[in-house]
Amino acid sequence: MTTTTLGGSAVRVTPLALGCAAIGNLYRAVTDEAALATVDAAWDAGVRTFDTAPHYGLGLSERRLGEALRGRPRDSYTVSTKVGRLLVPDTTAGPGDDLADGFAVPATHRRVWDFTADGVRRSLEESLDRLGLDRVDTVLLHDPDRHAEQALREAYPALERLRAEGVVGAVGVGMNQCALPARFLRETDIDVVLLAGRYTLLDQEGLAEVLPEAAARGRGVIIGGVFNSGLLTAPRPGATYDYAPAPRPVLDRALRLREVTARHGVPLRAAALHFPFGHRAVASVLTGARSPDEVRDTVGHLRRPVPDALWDDLRAEGLLGPGAPVPVDPPLEEPS
């Protein structure tokens, strides 16, 4: 796969990045063997960008990703992890699980929000230990929604120092809202925004401020949540949108989107994957997978052409705003 730099940094990312929450047992357990095979399949497909976080499975995702990458040339891939949640051993925990936070793992630790400078460094050191790496390429402030001022005053300057020291290559923020990432773009020198669920076929809120700000300032944007919690993979009653059952108007819109894409012989899933690449600020699309088959399915959809007429019909039916740019070519080349 080709690569693109993040903002003014030297960190390069592939168009498709593997999100590693699923191999941290998101919602249900994945075996060690399946997790390893998933990362191997992504590697075989040309993916060289991997995203994880301490939050994902109370460190399980980082440990599994590190194991899967062990032995591969370190300069041949990029890893991003996140700070803002420290993992503290829970000595009072019984045999319970972490499913209340979405992960099928034993509740051996509890998450403690910490956007102090010391918390940033501690979190990164612990992540490096779990990953088995001496450095990560990108560090993101993870969901600082309720800690905005501390994240701006304390956590971000700590990341800026780590970048200046060469400890990390790029810094940014990862969120599923637009207002605070836009503020970070205006007030700091971040390299990248990981924007989840806010620039999709269903929700183009990111087009109002985040994407134009990033483009104007030469910053990179990684788009996550392109399926809006699964609704754009199989829209039907009971499907989830933003981690909750989809409201009827949103479900109806997704069903209309599927009708249009089907007329062109394109799965809705494929159109959803392609759409973000139309914007020049988008450097990569991040998708999760828990099996090699899911990786291969995603790669196959990204390699198939999407006709211009599909985007034209979406606009004509009011399903795509007139200001939303659309991709011209498939983001992934056919294998040679």
Side-chain angles (χ1 to χ4, degrees):
M1 292 185 190
T2 58
T3 58
T4 303
T5 55
L6 289 178
S9 76
V11 175
R12 302 192 68 86
V13 294
T14 45
L16 180 63
L18 181 67
C20 294
I23 67 168
N25 288 9
L26 180 64
Y27 303 134
R28 63 181 189 272
V30 172
T31 66
D32 290 340
E33 293 76 15
L36 179 62
T38 299
V39 177
D40 285 346
W43 187 277
D44 292 343
V47 173
R48 296 294 183 270
T49 303
F50 304 89
D51 176 77
T52 185
H55 172 54
Y56 302 157
L58 296 172
L60 179 62
S61 172
E62 290 181 318
R63 290 192 294 272
R64 283 175 163 172
L65 178 61
E67 180 63 29
L69 294 174
R70 197 153 296 130
R72 304 187 191 274
R74 181 61 187 89
D75 290 338
S76 65
Y77 61 86
T78 60
V79 171
S80 61
T81 193
K82 306 179 183 77
V83 296
R85 291 173 172 93
L86 289 173
L87 302 182
V88 178
D90 190 350
T91 56
T92 66
D97 57 42
D98 189 50
L99 283 172
D101 282 298
F103 294 91
V105 297
T108 56
H109 291 68
R110 56 189 176 87
R111 301 167 179 84
V112 176
W113 291 103
D114 193 329
F115 287 96
T116 65
D118 180 64
V120 165
R121 286 186 176 269
R122 283 178 56 198
S123 182
L124 180 56
E125 288 170 2
E126 291 169 6
S127 288
L128 290 172
D129 184 59
R130 287 188 290 267
L131 286 160
L133 297 175
D134 60 1
R135 62 181 170 87
V136 292
D137 304 279
T138 304
V139 178
L140 304 170
L141 301 176
H142 199 184
D143 297 333
D145 304 66
R146 298 181 181 179
H147 309 271
E149 298 308 319
Q150 186 179 46
L152 283 159
R153 290 194 317 268
E154 300 181 44
Y156 167 72
L159 289 184
E160 194 174 56
R161 286 191 292 272
L162 289 168
R163 183 178 61 186
E165 294 165 4
V167 177
V168 300
V171 301
V173 59
M175 304 186 72
N176 56 11
Q177 57 135 300
C178 291
L180 191 53
R183 186 177 171 192
F184 269 91
L185 285 165
R186 290 192 302 268
E187 298 180 17
T188 74
D189 189 32
I190 59 172
D191 301 290
V192 59
V193 168
L194 170 52
L195 186 65
R198 301 284 77 87
Y199 192 59
T200 73
L201 278 179
L202 271 175
D203 185 335
Q204 286 123 53
E205 183 185 350
L207 195 59
E209 194 172 11
V210 173
L211 289 164
E213 285 282 355
R217 298 170 187 275
R219 308 307 181 202
V221 179
I222 296 172
I223 299 297
V226 291
F227 303 127
N228 286 116
S229 301
L231 184 57
L232 291 182
T233 59
R236 62 183 182 276
T240 54
Y241 172 78
D242 279 358
Y243 311 106
R248 188 71 219 191
V250 177
L251 173 59
D252 289 344
R253 187 177 180 87
L255 290 169
R256 289 178 62 204
L257 285 165
R258 186 174 66 181
E259 289 174 4
V260 174
T261 64
R263 290 205 302 264
H264 294 271
V266 175
L268 176 58
R269 177 183 182 84
L273 281 163
H274 280 246
F275 169 70
F277 289 102
H279 201 288
R280 64 190 180 97
V282 174
S284 183
V285 164
L286 175 74
T287 64
R290 64 180 68 246
S291 71
D293 285 345
E294 290 185 3
V295 171
R296 289 188 282 266
D297 178 74
T298 298
V299 171
H301 282 313
L302 275 172
R303 284 190 172 136
R304 67 180 300 151
V306 174
D308 293 342
L310 182 151
W311 309 116
D312 294 339
D313 283 358
L314 289 176
R315 289 196 202 282
E317 299 206 14
L319 294 169
L320 190 61
V326 297
V328 176
D329 300 310
L332 300 187
E333 71 280 2
E334 289 290 342
S336 56

